Amino acid sequence: GSLPGLVALLALLLLRSWQSRLRHSGVTLGLALVLLVLPFALQAAGLGVISVAPALFGLAQVGLGDVIGTMLAALRESRLTDPQTGLANARALRESMAIDQQGHVVVMRLANYADIVNVLGRAHAGLVVQRTAQRLSALTACPVHHVEPNALGWIDPCTDHETQAEQVEAGVALFNQAVDVDGRPVRVVPAFGVASIDGSGARTLDRALMAADQAQTKGARWDWYHATADVESDWRLSLAAEVEAAMASGAIHPVYQPQYDLRARDINGAEALVRWNHPERGPINPESLIALVEEHGLIAPLTLHVLRTALNDQRRWTQAGVAIHVAVNVSAMLPADSAFIAAVEALLAQYPGAAEQLTLEITESTPMIHTAAVIAALERLQALGITISIDDYGTGQSTLSYLRNLPAREIKIDKSFVIGMAASRSDQLMVASTIALAHALEYRVVAEGVETAAILDMLAEAGCDFVQGWHIGRPMSAADLQALALHSQRAAA
């Protein structure tokens, strides 16, 4: 009778001694089957009957511990991992920052991420983020974390500012070449931000992100976090909260820069430009205002506000006997918004005949204007009678033949080329050849930045259709434009 007891004791001791090794459910299950069969095998061999209950109980403890441990490990991993890319997330970076109390947090924003998503789709945008993280791993031995949809970050233990700056410059150079995604080269535009780990805890990551945003706003490739950024952030946040009230009160409103028709020799058009003279902060820079409303998802309401005001002003001009074609800028992200397109259609229904006197200017330098959804939306607007214009032509990568895919009938030559015509023969040739090719493709041409009579004469000789600039008139109120256009049209008649 001692042998069966000895076997059971030996099984339990072996189980306890191997407990640390039994971490796979298959091993645990296999041993449980052996223990269940063992009493029958011993009895058949005439060695007696044994009880394996103690061993099975011990095995159950190991198995339960294994399951619980696996579940806890999986839960922790899911909390610290981004599901889209498989990279460690912002939570994981913040936990690491609690351990590493010196060095810097470095963040890289993919500044053109919105374009990447619109062109490739969200799934492939995730692959771009993965490839970007792989490339950044050549820059740092620390794990690269996916901290926001368009941002990667890591802890750099380097405490020397000069060395840190050199490393970030090296990071910028990493993206001189396109990233490969399923055989397709994708250009990634980086904006780096750096913040010192100075005991501010989790806010260090937020500060690095803020520095990357500062770099992107300034058109730089990277920037340090500065304490003044907190004040700037508070200012922007409070300003954003006032935008809707300022539109409702008319504090945010359009002014109009006149456009001169070189054939009719009169002023019969204008571009609506948004303005906001804040009661405490004074005039708000228009570019800063546009960036602010885009950041806070208010670009559609602002554009519709400017468009509605311009249509009201245009109705008053018509009633006064002055015909003025008006152009309104539209952010390249808006045509893909079906709700915005529907709102434009509903608004124009309130102004019969206004569409034929309306131009919507879309920036050419943004790749998303060439997506199928955007082209379909622009065709929908054109069907209403609206003229689609390509703004800032010459600043992007597109050629006129490429732009033929868009339902546009007008291009607007960027002022950076027009202003230099008086002093640069190459600018003269570029503008003249662009006008000639545009006319061959049946586009009409608007040149902005006309600041002297000499430039006006050059554009007239080159056959340009419309011009605008300070030589024609600075941005002015609706009433002043009405008076100027009325005088010009009477003089031409």
Side-chain angles (χ1 to χ4, degrees):
S2 60
L3 178 59
L6 183 61
V7 171
L9 179 62
L10 179 61
L12 183 59
L13 290 174
L14 285 172
L15 182 62
R16 293 299 187 188
S17 65
W18 293 349
Q19 183 171 349
S20 62
R21 304 176 193 176
L22 302 178
R23 291 304 178 201
H24 296 288
S25 57
V27 176
T28 307
L29 180 60
L31 187 53
L33 291 174
V34 170
L35 289 173
L36 288 171
V37 172
L38 184 61
F40 300 101
L42 292 175
Q43 185 175 14
L47 296 176
V49 179
I50 65 170
S51 172
V52 293
L56 286 172
F57 179 72
L59 185 62
Q61 287 183 309
V62 173
L64 183 60
D66 183 23
V67 170
I68 294 174
T70 302
M71 290 176 62
L72 290 174
L75 179 61
R76 175 174 173 77
E77 185 176 353
S78 67
R79 288 176 63 251
L80 302 178
T81 304
D82 171 57
Q84 183 189 21
T85 61
L87 298 170
N89 60 17
R91 185 192 297 269
L93 181 58
R94 288 190 171 97
E95 288 193 6
S96 297
M97 285 162 50
I99 300 171
D100 298 317
Q101 297 293 330
Q102 61 180 9
H104 298 87
V105 171
V106 185
V107 159
M108 191 202 103
R109 277 208 189 279
L110 286 74
N112 59 333
Y113 182 76
D115 294 343
I116 292 170
V117 171
N118 276 279
V119 173
L120 301 181
R122 197 161 296 280
H124 280 83
L127 290 176
V128 173
V129 173
Q130 286 178 321
R131 301 290 186 273
T132 302
Q134 290 168 4
R135 188 168 293 187
L136 287 171
S137 65
L139 185 68
T140 175
C142 300
V144 177
H145 299 66
H146 190 196
V147 296
E148 284 190 1
N150 70 333
L152 296 160
W154 64 95
I155 295 173
D156 191 324
C158 173
T159 56
D160 180 67
H161 273 47
E162 190 170 330
T163 303
Q164 182 67 73
E166 291 175 358
Q167 290 177 351
V168 176
E169 291 287 355
V172 171
L174 286 174
F175 296 94
N176 289 337
Q177 299 296 322
V179 172
D180 183 84
V181 179
D182 292 342
R184 175 174 181 167
V186 177
R187 180 78 173 179
V188 172
V189 179
F192 287 85
V194 186
S196 299
I197 300 175
D198 57 2
S200 57
R203 292 195 63 196
T204 305
L205 174 57
D206 298 329
R207 290 174 172 179
L209 287 164
M210 194 181 302
D213 292 339
Q214 290 170 189
Q216 187 174 343
T217 300
K218 294 188 293 187
R221 290 305 187 206
W222 72 280
D223 202 357
W224 293 102
Y225 165 80
H226 300 289
T228 54
D230 285 337
V231 176
E232 175 71 12
S233 181
D234 287 342
W235 176 82
R236 288 172 60 82
L237 193 61
S238 63
L239 201 63
E242 299 178 46
V243 167
E244 292 186 271
M247 288 191 292
S249 69
I252 294 179
H253 62 278
V255 293
Y256 301 93
Q257 183 162 37
Q259 293 180 340
Y260 184 71
D261 187 331
L262 283 167
R263 288 189 173 83
R265 295 288 174 177
D266 66 7
I267 292 171
N268 57 23
E271 179 184 1
L273 302 169
V274 68
R275 293 290 186 268
W276 184 10
N277 190 11
H278 193 277
E280 296 175 8
R281 307 181 191 278
I284 304 298
N285 181 285
E287 291 185 3
S288 299
L289 175 58
I290 297 301
L292 180 73
V293 296
E294 285 185 338
E295 179 184 343
H296 289 84
L298 295 170
I299 187 63
L302 176 65
T303 304
L304 290 169
H305 169 68
V306 171
L307 180 56
R308 183 181 298 105
T309 307
L311 291 173
N312 278 328
D313 290 335
Q314 191 179 58
R315 175 181 283 174
R316 282 191 285 270
W317 297 329
T318 302
Q319 291 169 349
V322 188
I324 302 177
H325 193 107
V326 66
V328 174
N329 289 282
V330 174
S331 169
M333 67 176 63
L334 285 178
D337 183 351
S338 58
F340 172 76
I341 301 299
V344 172
E345 291 175 331
L347 183 58
L348 283 171
Q350 302 172 32
Y351 299 87
E356 286 73 17
Q357 289 288 96
L358 175 64
T359 295
L360 297 182
E361 298 183 359
I362 316 290
T363 303
E364 172 260 344
S365 58
T366 307
M368 72 174 70
I369 69 171
H370 300 288
T371 63
V374 171
I375 291 173
L378 294 178
E379 289 174 343
R380 186 171 154 188
L381 292 172
Q382 187 185 53
L384 298 174
I386 298 171
T387 298
I388 304 299
S389 177
I390 304 303
D391 196 12
D392 298 337
Y393 180 77
T395 59
Q397 303 300 317
S398 301
T399 62
L400 273 173
S401 58
Y402 185 50
L403 291 179
R404 289 197 73 190
N405 296 323
L406 298 173
R409 292 274 53 88
E410 177 183 285
I411 66 165
K412 197 167 189 181
I413 301 176
D414 187 69
K415 63 183 177 182
S416 61
F417 300 100
V418 176
I419 290 174
M421 288 180 67
S424 170
R425 178 64 178 162
S426 61
D427 280 354
Q428 293 175 31
L429 292 173
M430 194 284 290
V431 171
S433 61
T434 298
I435 292 170
L437 181 56
H439 284 163
L441 295 174
E442 299 182 340
Y443 288 92
R444 71 185 187 195
V445 182
V446 181
E448 58 181 354
V450 178
E451 298 188 354
T452 66
I455 293 176
L456 178 64
D457 291 341
M458 290 178 188
L459 289 167
E461 185 177 349
C464 190
D465 301 300
F466 300 91
V467 294
Q468 72 181 74
W470 286 3
H471 182 68
I472 307 302
R474 298 197 178 198
M476 60 187 67
S477 69
D480 287 344
L481 176 65
Q482 176 180 313
L484 179 64
L486 182 60
H487 174 76
S488 172
Q489 290 177 19
R490 284 177 176 172

